């Protein structure tokens, strides 16, 4: 196979070829079937059944609709329907073989649904209590694992079975006096020890050591009588009641399991569904608990298994709740009694949520204990522990809040009026008033906001802190709106109290709540005033360093309601407020939240200098946080936020100001590569927008401006680390420069891209994995070749100097072993050279004279093109011969030969006999070993036959006779 030295590309008439390639216009009858017309779907079960019984199949679609080729391949069976049917079968099988544990889990979930989703569960309050009620004092755990001799039953009592007596003896036979005391525990150590006891309880239960499990629960319950570190008591209550909940669940599930053999027990079971063994086991547990000597553990443990009364009698729970409520009256410490009532209300809401008598009785008893708070025993305890009365009263809040929440659940509005009257009768007891505002629906509280403010003002200053009362009121007012005429008065009265709070932590906890009320109902003037007051309180002694979470919450609430950033940044105190975030990580997080809101809500492009200066400051803060240890994901996230801001900046027709902004942004965000890439795109877009405005005819001023844009990109691109990003931007910027008639700048970009090619590595990282760069490089070179068609030669350089420079770089580049990439570049260059030889190019750049105009079909220019084509074809043929020597490379040889054949067919002048013979030889070579795709070969032959019918393509008829299909066989 040899190339003809005089080979020239064939002449092309692009317009005529385009007309021939256009599809024929067909008249569409809209009454016929149309592919976008809705289709009736046939039920697969019906079709399968019909196929079994008869040859005809029932279908709901019209018979005039042609068969769907995709459905016809399914043989009437829809795979999605098959999967759904299989899934249904598996689900049915699984449901039949469900274990008793699964039944118990579903039963518990169903029982939890008795209380609606509008009721805030205890689990939602648990974390808040543990975080709020902390201590730095040392704690102790005193576990006495000795016997409990206070037997309530005589061993010979006929009412107790032999099994119960045996269990009680086991309870007494534990080693007497085995006492374990853990001293000097930190709060975290204490929580860890309690969790260890919880695990020990589960392990003892799993190993069938039920008595040991009961002893653990009893000893843990006794810890609730210890108020030696009174500030920690609410958190201690949370930790220990977790153990009680675990115990109650284990006992109930065990009895349930005994009733579920052999058939599952229904959720709404009756007493007749419970077998005798389960009843005996249930009684056994209640007898064990009744034998506990001390009141507090007996009360807590019985409350933990309160739900088990369902297995004994229908009214057991209703009878037990009042008895347990009365037992609490025997607890002397009012704090311990309050939390015992809270726990009883907790279990009561789980088992009898609609039975409010016990809840009301608990509440009335609780009110009766308020007079104890000023008693001598409480005062002495506070003196010993150095606790002030306001702090002591706050310890009651979780318990009273929970009791009132249970009472107020779905209660009528009249109950709130009744509660307010009770507060007034108690002298506006602040502790009760606080819980009332938190327990009832926000709508009820907001409607009476002025009344509550009056009651708060009448409360005793020395008692429960007033700022906590206003905090509770504020929580309701941000959920429900008070009357519009009262809003300003409410804010003024509340802020008079809040601003007088001396403790920075107490102040910001309350101010954080009322900021949302202010943003929700007032203008930037009031919001600015609130921010000023916060800065005033939190700046002295750098108090803001201990209140970052609350200050972040303030920012989030301001951003929630103020989406107009011109208004936001025009507030005098907003940016000074941001200056309080001195910790780097917190400051960056705040800036990120501001940027996210800006990108989400800033719809219109902006050039407002207030917004731009503020956002540049915020973005610079994020950018300056980047260092060598910053993760790539973090860099990417910050870059996307900054890019979002850059895209929203527009100075309209003031293009020079836009370019100045990009220059400033480049200096500001130099460490974030994606931002620099976006800036280059922005400047290129700016140059093209200038061209559009000038309609392609630049004035001296605009020509200088687009050259400045090109210079910006040329300076910025080398600072990027990704080599393929640099290559693509060089090419893109060169195309933009060429479109704006900046020929020397376009040459500079393209030469820079060519000179960068030798630096391309053999492998690059893509999504954390190393991949060969060959495919990316070939894609770039193909795009580059397509651009070179319209790039005119430089008058001071030789003919086709850019094409030759690119091919020389490709020649010198070190390609991978066993790679055809270099030769594929040569094959791709042939269409470019063929297109350059045409009298009129297939595309051009307006107002830019390409080589078609510069050379005007000069024979010397065409001769250079032919020589270059001959050189490339010779290189390709030599490579084909090399591949033919190795049997392992014949597939590659065939693919490459077929590719070159396609180029010659499309662009070569096949009237030349030698070139035509070369094409035939390439066809035969590509089919020699049978690796060529037969379908592609058939379509290629059909296309050649179609072209041969054209008047000027008779020579193709002779050639097609010599093209034969060959197979590997």
């Amino acid at each position: 196979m040899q190339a003809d030295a005089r080979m020239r590309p064939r002449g092309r008439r692009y317009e005529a070829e385009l007309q021939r390639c256009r599809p024929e216009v067909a008249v569409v009858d809209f009454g016929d079937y149309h592919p976008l017309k809705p289709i009736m779907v046939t039920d697969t079960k019906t079709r399968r059944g019909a196929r079994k019984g008869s040859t005809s199949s029932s279908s709901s679609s019209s018979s005039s609709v042609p068969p769907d080729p995709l459905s016809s391949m399914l043989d009437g069976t829809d795979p999605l329907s098959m999967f759904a049917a299989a899934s249904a079968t598996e689900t049915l099988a699984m449901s039949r073989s469900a274990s008793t544990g699964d039944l118990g889990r579903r039963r518990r979930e169903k029982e939890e649904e008795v209380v609606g989703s509008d009721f805030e569960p205890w689990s939602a309050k648990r974390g808040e209590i543990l975080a709020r009620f902390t201590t730095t004092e040392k704690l102790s755990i005193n576990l006495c694992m000795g016997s409990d001799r206070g037997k309530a039953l005589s061993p010979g009592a006929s009412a107790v079975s032999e099994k119960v007596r045996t269990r009680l003896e086991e309870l007494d036979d534990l080693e007497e006096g085995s006492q374990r005391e853990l001293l000097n525990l930190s709060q975290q150590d204490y929580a860890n020890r309690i969790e260890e006891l919880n695990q020990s309880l589960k392990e003892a239960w799993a190993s069938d050591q039920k008595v040991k499990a009961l002893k653990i629960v009893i000893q843990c319950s006794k810890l609730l009588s210890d108020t030696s570190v009174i500030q920690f008591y609410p958190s201690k209550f949370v930790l220990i009641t977790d153990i009680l909940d675990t115990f109650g669940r284990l006992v109930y599930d065990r009895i349930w399991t005994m009733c579920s053999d052999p058939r599952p027990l229904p959720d709404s079971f009756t007493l007749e569904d419970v077998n005798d063994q389960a009843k005996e086991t249930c009684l056994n547990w209640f007898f064990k608990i009744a034998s506990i000597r001390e009141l507090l553990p007996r009360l807590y443990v019985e409350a933990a298994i309160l739900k088990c009364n369902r297995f004994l009698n229908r009214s057991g729970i209703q009878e037990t709740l009042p008895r347990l409520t009365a037992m609490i009256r025997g607890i002397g410490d009012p704090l311990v009694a309050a939390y015992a009532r809270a726990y009883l209300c907790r279990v009561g809401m789980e088992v009898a949520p609609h039975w409010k008598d016990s809840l009301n009785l608990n509440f009335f008893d609780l009110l009766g204990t308020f007079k104890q708070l000023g008693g001598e025993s409480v005062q002495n305890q506070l003196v010993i522990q150095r606790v002030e009365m306001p702090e002591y009263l706050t310890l009651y809040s979780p318990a009273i809040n929970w009791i009132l929440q249970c009472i107020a659940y779905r209660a009528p509005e009249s109950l709130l009026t009744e509660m307010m009257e009770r507060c007034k009768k108690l002298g506006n007891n602040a502790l009760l008033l606080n819980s009332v505002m938190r327990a009832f629906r926000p709508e009820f509280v907001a409607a009476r906001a002025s009344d509550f403010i009056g009651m708060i003002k009448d409360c005793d200053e020395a008692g429960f802190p007033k700022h906590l009362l206003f905090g509770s009121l504020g929580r309701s007012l941000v959920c429900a709106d008070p009357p519009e005429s009262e809003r300003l008065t409410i804010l003024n009265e509340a802020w008079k109290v809040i601003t007088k709070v001396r403790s920075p932590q107490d102040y910001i906890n309350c101010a954080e709540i009322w900021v949302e009320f202010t943003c929700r109902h007032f203008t930037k003037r009031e919001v600015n005033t609130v921010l000023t007051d916060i800065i005033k309180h939190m700046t002295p002694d750098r108090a803001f360093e201990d209140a970052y979470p609350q200050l972040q919450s303030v920012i989030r609430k301001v951003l929630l309601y103020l989406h107009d950033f011109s208004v936001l940044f025009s507030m005098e105190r907003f940016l000074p407020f941001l200056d309080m975030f001195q910790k780097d990580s917190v400051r960056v997080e705040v800036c990120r939240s501001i940027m996210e809101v800006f990108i989400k809500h800033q719809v219109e492009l902006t050039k407002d200098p207030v917004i731009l200066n503020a956002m540049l400051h915020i973005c610079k803060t994020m950018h300056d946080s980047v260092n060598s240890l910053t993760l790539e994901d973090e860099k990417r996230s910050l870059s996307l936020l900054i890019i979002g801001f850059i895209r929203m900046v527009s100075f309209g027709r003031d293009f020079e100001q836009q370019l100045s902004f990009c220059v400033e942004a480049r200096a500001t965000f130099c460490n974030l590569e994606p931002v620099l890439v976006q800036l280059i795109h922005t400047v290129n877009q700016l140059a093209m927008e200038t061209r559009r405005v000038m309609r392609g005819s630049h004035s001296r001023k605009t020509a200088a401006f687009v050259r400045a844009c090109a210079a910006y990109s040329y300076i910025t691109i080398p600072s990027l680390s990704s080599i393929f990003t640099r290559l693509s931007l060089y090419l893109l910027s060169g195309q933009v420069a060429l479109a704006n008639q900046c020929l020397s700048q376009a040459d500079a970009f393209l030469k820079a891209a060519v000179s960068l090619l030798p630096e391309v590595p053999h492998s690059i990282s893509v999504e954390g994995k190393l991949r060969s760069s060959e495919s990316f490089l070939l894609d770039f070179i193909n795009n580059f070749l397509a651009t070179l068609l319209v790039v005119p030669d430089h008058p001071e350089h030789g003919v086709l100097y850019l094409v030759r420079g690119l091919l020389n770089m490709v020649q010198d580049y070190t390609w991978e072993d066993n790679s055809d990439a270099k030769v594929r570049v040569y094959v791709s260059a042939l269409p470019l050279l063929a297109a350059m030889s045409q009298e009129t190019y297939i595309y051009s750049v307006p107002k830019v004279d390409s080589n078609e105009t510069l050379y005007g079909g000069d024979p010397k220019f065409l001769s250079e093109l032919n020589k270059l084509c001959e050189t490339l074809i010779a290189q390709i043929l030599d490579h084909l011969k090399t591949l033919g020597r190795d049997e392992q490379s014949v597939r590659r040889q065939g693919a490459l030969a077929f590719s070159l054949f396609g180029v010659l067919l499309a662009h070569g002048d096949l009237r030349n006999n030698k070139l035509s013979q070369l094409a035939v030889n390439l066809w035969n070579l590509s089919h020699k070993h049978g690796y060529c795709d037969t379908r592609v070969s058939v379509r290629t032959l059909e296309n050649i036959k179609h072209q041969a019918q054209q008047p000027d393509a008779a020579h193709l008829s002779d050639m097609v006779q010599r093209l034969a299909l060959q197979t590997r066989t």
Side-chain angles (χ1 to χ4, degrees), residues 928-957:
K928 180 177 180 180
H929 301 283
Y931 287 114
C932 196
D933 190 333
T934 305
R935 289 174 296 181
V936 175
S937 300
V938 170
R939 287 198 295 269
T940 302
L941 283 177
E942 292 175 352
N943 178 262
I944 297 173
K945 292 175 182 178
H946 179 73
Q947 290 186 28
Q949 297 175 5
Q950 303 300 325
D952 56 347
H955 58 282
L956 294 179
S957 300

Side-chain angles (χ1 to χ4, degrees), residues 293-352:
R293 179 180 58 192
E294 297 182 27
L295 171 62
L296 195 66
R298 185 167 73 249
L299 170 70
Y300 270 107
V301 179
E302 184 172 357
I305 67 166
L306 178 66
K307 191 161 54 171
C308 294
N309 278 283
R310 293 183 63 192
F311 299 109
L312 296 178
N313 55 68
R314 294 181 179 85
S315 59
I317 293 176
Q318 287 79 357
E319 294 172 358
T320 304
L321 280 173
R323 176 172 59 81
L324 295 178
T325 302
M327 287 172 62
I328 298 176
R329 298 170 186 166
I331 300 175
D333 191 313
L335 183 64
V336 176
Y339 277 92
R341 297 185 192 284
Y343 186 70
L344 188 59
C345 289
R346 241 183 76 192
V347 295
M349 283 298 289
E350 292 177 4
V351 298

